[in-house]
Amino acid sequence: MARATGIGGVFFRSNDPEALRDWYAEHLGLQPDPDGVVVIRWGGDDAGSTVWAPFPADTDYFGERSQTSMVNYRVDDLDAMLGQLRDAGVPVDDQVQAMDGLGRFGWATDPEGNRFELWEPAAGC
C-alpha cells in the first residue's frame, strides 16, 4: 500500500505574497529562495524538506477560490497512491505532472472539497 511520508509543502492564498513573505522572513526567520518559496530542510541534505509558499489570491492552482490553502503530501509511490484513491471513489485529477529534478505531482480532492497535492520526490529531494 502506498502511503504519505511527510508534508512536502504548505501553500496558501495571499493578497500580497511578496509582502507576506517579507513579514515571515522578518518575524519568523523564514528566508525565501530566489524563486520566492521557503524551503525548510528537515536535517541533512538527504533528509528531505517542506516548501512554504504564499500564492497570489487569484491563483487557480488550489482549485476553487474558496479554498484558502493546500497541503502537499510526500508519497512513496504516486501511481499506486492515485490508484488507491481512485479505487476508493476519491476524485482524482487525470493530470500527473513531472518536473525535472523535483519529481512527479498529482492532485485529488477530499470529502469536504479540499484539493490536495501528492508529490513523489525525485532522488535527493
Side-chain angles (χ1 to χ4, degrees):
M1 175 175 164
R3 65 181 194 90
T5 61
I7 303 296
V10 177
F11 313 126
F12 51 94
R13 294 179 194 275
S14 169
N15 292 322
D16 189 343
E18 186 174 325
L20 193 58
R21 274 192 299 268
D22 291 347
W23 187 92
Y24 275 94
E26 178 182 346
H27 296 285
L28 271 70
L30 297 175
Q31 295 299 322
D33 285 353
D35 61 0
V37 301
V38 174
V39 179
I40 302 167
R41 307 236 180 264
W42 299 346
D45 290 339
D46 294 334
S49 61
T50 299
V51 172
W52 177 96
F55 278 67
D58 62 352
T59 185
D60 291 326
Y61 194 66
F62 302 171
E64 297 296 322
R65 295 276 168 96
S66 60
Q67 183 172 334
T68 60
S69 62
M70 182 174 71
V71 176
N72 164 297
Y73 296 95
R74 295 171 67 103
V75 297
D76 57 2
D77 185 334
L78 181 62
D79 293 325
M81 178 63 75
L82 293 173
Q84 286 171 200
L85 292 170
R86 282 187 184 100
D87 290 348
V90 174
V92 174
D93 285 2
D94 291 333
Q95 176 186 4
V96 171
Q97 182 180 13
M99 295 181 73
D100 288 341
L102 289 179
R104 297 174 59 234
F105 299 85
W107 298 267
T109 305
D110 74 16
E112 293 192 4
N114 299 301
R115 178 178 165 98
F116 58 93
E117 186 171 60
L118 301 168
W119 171 39
E120 182 180 339
C125 285

